[in-house]
Amino acid sequence: MTVVAFALTAVPAAPVASALPGAQPAGTVSTPPDGPAQAWLVADLDSGQVLGSRDANVPRAPASTIKPLLAMVVLDHLNPNSFARANASHTKVECSCVGLVPGQAYTTSQLLAGLLMVSGNDAANMLADMLGGQRAAVAAMNAKAQSLGARSTRASSPSGLDGPGWETLTTPYDLALIYRQALKYPLIAQIFQAPTASFPGKTLHAQNELLSRYPGDFAGKTGFTDLARKTLVTAAQRNGRRLVVVLMYGSGDLYGQAVDLFDWGFGQPT
């Protein structure tokens, strides 16, 4: 485990980041709590200072925690009020799904709510088609990751699903970069904060349990595949300070680990 400080603006070359241009010393800090996720990171969202990490630069599968990368690409290219009609191909995907109905029209903002609140893989497929198809969407996701400095990230599907011969890879460090930028998009931040949202034929309920379980939590995305195991990225604020916690390759209660890391992080000096 390492406890380091650096700005989330460049990707370190070494397996453990400890010195980057512009890095500031973290000072003496107590050992952060560990937990069931084998790789994790806790950082200040605003300053970029990483307070603590384990294996923060080791590439692993992120599962659905990569979806905000697609959401940014969507908002870079599509009007939130534009709409399209779902077709059967969008629903032919391993779920979790928001439950698209072929022939039904959905706006971009509705699909983003389905993508981020309930991890709809069918919504990811439809948004990819609206961007020109899955190959074009994945290429745009990878270009976006590179532009953010997330150079260890390689998307292979719009949803984060893996398959034979292809897998999506990223690191806790890169996910912190991605979420730091994604939360600057007002619509993404709004969707993450909402406990519920209207959707054609139903009401969506956010899967992020920390919205009600941890005071100050304002964003979160879970993920699971056999390759990724459990993953979680979540953000919270307290007394004007905002932290992000990234957990990868986990089992058991990742929410509990996130709570422990938040409590530890908010107790560290700025």
Side-chain angles (χ1 to χ4, degrees):
M1 182 193 67
T2 58
V3 180
V4 297
F6 57 93
L8 285 171
T9 55
V11 173
V16 176
S18 59
L20 289 178
Q24 299 296 321
T28 302
V29 295
S30 60
T31 302
D34 214 334
Q38 292 190 21
W40 52 265
L41 176 146
V42 55
D44 188 300
L45 262 179
D46 297 307
S47 72
Q49 183 188 53
V50 172
L51 304 177
S53 67
R54 177 190 291 276
D55 290 345
N57 297 296
V58 177
R60 289 183 169 88
S64 289
T65 57
I66 201 66
K67 284 186 166 100
L69 183 60
L70 173 63
M72 284 190 285
V73 169
V74 167
L75 290 174
D76 287 346
H77 293 87
L78 300 176
N79 187 308
N81 296 317
S82 64
F83 70 92
R85 294 189 182 276
N87 61 54
S89 70
H90 301 143
T91 65
K92 293 178 180 179
V93 62
E94 180 182 342
C95 290
S96 59
C97 293
V98 69
L100 298 184
V101 177
Q104 171 71 49
Y106 299 93
T107 66
T108 300
S109 60
Q110 288 170 338
L111 292 169
L112 287 172
L115 181 80
L116 299 175
M117 293 180 70
V118 298
S119 205
N121 293 333
D122 49 354
N125 281 352
M126 185 169 175
L127 287 167
D129 269 1
M130 292 169 71
L131 289 166
Q134 293 210 9
R135 181 173 296 181
V138 167
M141 291 169 69
N142 286 323
K144 184 69 171 180
Q146 291 294 306
S147 74
L148 299 178
R151 298 187 183 93
S152 296
T153 297
R154 185 190 72 216
S156 297
S157 71
S159 63
L161 287 175
D162 305 299
W166 50 274
E167 62 187 69
T168 294
L169 293 173
T170 188
T171 65
Y173 182 95
D174 278 13
L175 281 176
L177 280 171
I178 289 166
Y179 278 71
R180 189 185 190 205
Q181 295 303 316
L183 288 168
K184 294 178 181 179
Y185 288 68
L187 183 56
I188 293 176
Q190 176 186 333
I191 290 170
F192 269 138
Q193 287 180 309
T196 62
S198 60
F199 193 82
K202 64 180 70 179
T203 298
L204 304 183
H205 297 268
Q207 292 179 340
N208 176 23
E209 295 180 13
L210 292 185
L211 283 176
S212 59
R213 179 172 165 181
Y214 190 80
D217 190 272
F218 61 89
K221 185 75 197 69
T222 61
F224 175 83
T225 65
D226 290 340
L227 183 63
R229 300 193 183 182
K230 288 185 177 181
T231 59
L232 171 67
V233 183
T234 184
Q237 58 186 353
R238 182 185 298 174
N239 297 326
R241 191 179 190 189
R242 304 191 309 159
L243 300 183
V244 60
V245 167
V246 181
L247 303 169
M248 298 186 74
Y249 206 73
S251 60
D253 183 16
L254 295 197
Y255 286 123
Q257 185 176 0
V259 166
D260 290 343
L261 286 170
F262 275 139
D263 286 344
W264 172 83
F266 283 121
Q268 302 308 304
T270 57

